[in-house]
């Protein structure tokens, strides 16, 4: 009888803890080289959870480009490295199409089919800085995104980046005054990731 009560208590406790983790966004950051940590959990509403469920099941992600976005894209397209070579190597026709259509749709299946050969892709998430793990839990889904706030996502992590970008612009997670998080999910950084995506699609 005592063993039965113990088992029942463990089951109830597990269910209670699991329930507490539902409809939450967990933000865990490690700051290097000091190795200090930030760990915050943000509760979300059922309505917000349903919106996140919709994001998780998206097969593609459409971005409407406003005038400010197009200005940033033009600046990035024309930007050169110290050797005078273009940083974002997209074709002129792709660039002009972006300016004309003022939108881009990122197909997640096409991302999964691309081979990441660039050394930049391979090391972008293992540099010094602020590695993080973001986890969103709803009743129906769990999604984890691990990267570095001082870097940029690899191509095959773009889906997770875009989902958490959308979430962050609706719900503030991590500490509200964290400038690293704000910069990582700002609009200009989104445009950089768009350019990186288009470059890889053409390579």
């Amino acid at each position: 009888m005592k063993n039965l009560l113990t088992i029942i208590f463990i089951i109830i406790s597990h269910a209670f803890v699991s329930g507490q983790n539902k409809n939450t966004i967990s933000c865990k950051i490690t700051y290097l080289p000091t190795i200090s940590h930030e760990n915050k959990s943000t509760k979300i509403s059922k309505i917000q959870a349903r919106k996140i469920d919709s994001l998780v099941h998206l097969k593609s992600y459409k971005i409407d480009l406003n005038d400010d976005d197009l200005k940033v894209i033009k600046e990035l397209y024309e930007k050169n490295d110290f050797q005078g070579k273009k940083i974002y190597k997209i074709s002129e026709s792709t660039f002009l199409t972006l300016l004309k259509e003022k939108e881009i749709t990122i197909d997640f299946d096409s991302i999964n089919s691309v081979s990441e050969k660039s050394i930049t892709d391979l090391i972008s998430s293992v540099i010094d800085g602020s590695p993080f793990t973001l986890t969103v839990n709803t009743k129906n889904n769990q999604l984890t995104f691990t990267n570095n706030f001082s870097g940029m996502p690899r191509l095959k992590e773009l889906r997770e980046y875009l989902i958490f970008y959308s979430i962050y612009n609706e719900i503030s997670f991590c500490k509200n005054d964290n400038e690293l998080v704000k910069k990582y999910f700002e609009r200009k950084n989104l445009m950089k990731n768009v350019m990186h995506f288009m470059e890889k699609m053409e390579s």
Side-chain angles (χ1 to χ4, degrees), residues 24-196:
T24 58
I25 304 173
S26 169
C27 172
K28 298 179 180 179
I29 310 172
T30 300
Y31 298 100
L32 303 174
T34 60
I35 317 184
S36 59
H37 301 279
E38 177 181 326
N39 191 345
K40 181 183 177 184
S41 180
T42 302
K43 192 74 176 172
I44 59 177
S45 69
K46 290 182 179 180
I47 294 175
Q48 291 169 330
R50 284 196 291 269
K51 289 181 180 179
I52 291 170
D53 286 337
S54 298
L55 287 170
V56 171
H57 289 105
L58 285 177
K59 299 298 183 183
S60 62
Y61 190 98
K62 181 182 176 184
I63 303 171
D64 294 315
L65 303 171
N66 58 39
D67 290 342
D68 289 336
D69 295 333
L70 295 175
K71 182 180 178 181
V72 171
I73 286 174
K74 187 175 185 295
E75 290 173 354
L76 294 172
Y77 175 73
E78 295 174 346
K79 193 171 184 179
N80 296 328
D81 61 19
F82 66 95
Q83 293 180 321
K85 298 179 180 179
K86 284 187 174 293
I87 293 177
Y88 297 96
K89 302 175 182 67
I90 66 170
S91 65
E92 183 180 8
S93 61
T94 298
F95 171 66
L96 293 175
T97 298
L98 261 184
L99 297 184
K100 180 181 179 181
E101 296 185 355
K102 297 184 178 182
E103 67 177 39
I104 182 170
T105 298
I106 296 175
D107 178 66
F108 293 144
D109 286 337
S110 66
I111 291 176
N112 293 331
S113 66
V114 172
S115 174
E116 294 183 290
K117 300 177 182 179
S118 169
I119 189 66
T120 303
D121 284 336
L122 297 176
I123 68 173
S124 63
S125 61
V126 293
I127 61 175
D128 289 340
S130 306
F132 66 81
T133 299
L134 303 175
T135 303
V136 60
N137 280 289
T138 69
K139 181 180 178 181
N140 301 310
N141 291 286
Q142 181 185 75
L143 181 68
T144 297
F145 177 32
T146 300
N147 204 257
N148 195 314
F149 281 131
S150 298
M152 65 183 297
R154 295 188 303 166
L155 185 63
K156 289 187 177 180
E157 297 165 339
L158 187 58
R159 171 181 172 268
E160 288 77 13
Y161 169 82
L162 291 170
I163 291 172
F164 277 97
Y165 170 86
S166 295
I167 295 171
Y168 185 77
N169 284 275
E170 291 287 335
I171 309 161
S172 179
F173 52 80
C174 302
K175 290 184 178 179
N176 293 335
D177 60 347
N178 194 316
E179 293 299 325
L180 275 176
V181 184
K182 289 180 182 178
K183 186 175 181 180
Y184 191 79
F185 289 115
E186 70 179 1
R187 192 76 180 179
K188 184 175 182 178
N189 208 41
L190 173 65
M191 293 304 107
K192 289 180 180 179
N193 281 289
V194 166
M195 293 289 283
H196 182 65

